[in-house]
Every structure is written in structure tokens, then in C-alpha cells.
Amino acid sequence: MLEMTRDTFEELVAEALDQIPPELTRVMDNVAVFVEDEPPADDPELLGLYEGTPLTERGEWYAGVLPDRISIYMGPTLRHCETRDDVVHEVAVTVVHEIAHHFGIDDERLHELGWG
């Protein structure tokens, strides 16, 4: 397994977030991004997870709710990658993938677009 400190991994997630175009980050709403060590036990290879209500499904009822949550999982990412460059790439893909879910894009469409 590739070795990397949590601080370094968090910096890579922050850098990936900084690469999201401003026109998209301006419309992201009520969402928080977290780095977690490991995913839920029932899916140990999961690299990221979006939990919440996508922007496309929000309606008049959507008020006063907790923020959506994007989790990026350090453990499986480091186990999946062989080099630091692999980690940089995988983190960027995972961040884009989970943010796309926030915008209502499903896994099938993400795979079609090459962000699977």
C-alpha cells in the first residue's frame, strides 16, 4: 500500500476541489466535503460517496436541512494506487464523480462521460 499522510491526502482533495470550474462551484449549494479514513464496512473498496439530495431533486420543501455530504476515502484510494501521481489522478476523478452526483448526474452517465 502506498504511504501518505492524512494532511497530504487532504491537500490533494483540496487541490482537486480547486480545479472545479468557478461557474460550477458558484451553484453548488449546501454541500460539505470530508476526508474519511475508510468507507462503510459493507463496501470496503469505495473511493467516494455522495449522501444528500441532488440539486435536480430539490423543491420548495428543501429548507433547513443538513448539508449534503461528500466523503473521499483515503484507505481504499491509497490501496488502489501505486504512485503519488496515481493518487492525484484518482482523487481528482473521485471528487468530480461525487460532485456530479450533487448535480444529479447518475453513475451510468458518469461512466459514459469517462468519470466512472
Side-chain angles (χ1 to χ4, degrees):
M1 180 168 106
L2 185 66
E3 297 281 329
M4 183 175 286
T5 67
R6 182 171 179 113
D7 285 345
T8 300
F9 190 84
E10 288 177 353
E11 287 174 20
L12 295 179
V13 171
E15 289 170 10
L17 288 167
D18 287 344
Q19 297 303 311
I20 303 298
E23 56 270 18
L24 292 180
T25 58
R26 278 194 293 273
V27 295
M28 290 175 66
D29 183 47
N30 201 31
V31 62
V33 178
F34 298 92
V35 170
E36 303 287 345
D37 290 331
E38 294 293 335
D42 63 336
D43 199 353
E45 297 305 312
L46 190 65
L47 303 182
L49 180 65
Y50 169 75
E51 299 170 285
T53 304
L55 295 174
T56 55
E57 296 178 17
R58 296 179 185 181
E60 296 293 322
W61 60 270
Y62 189 86
V65 299
L66 292 174
D68 292 1
R69 180 181 181 97
I70 292 174
S71 299
I72 307 298
Y73 299 111
M74 183 173 151
T77 302
L78 295 180
R79 288 190 294 275
H80 178 74
C81 296
E82 294 182 14
T83 67
R84 185 181 192 285
D85 287 343
D86 292 344
V87 175
V88 170
H89 173 75
E90 196 60 57
V91 165
V93 169
T94 303
V95 166
V96 168
H97 183 103
E98 301 311 329
I99 288 174
H101 287 320
H102 176 67
F103 283 99
I105 301 171
D106 66 18
D107 281 330
E108 182 179 334
R109 182 67 179 135
L110 284 167
H111 283 278
E112 291 171 5
L113 295 170
W115 293 100

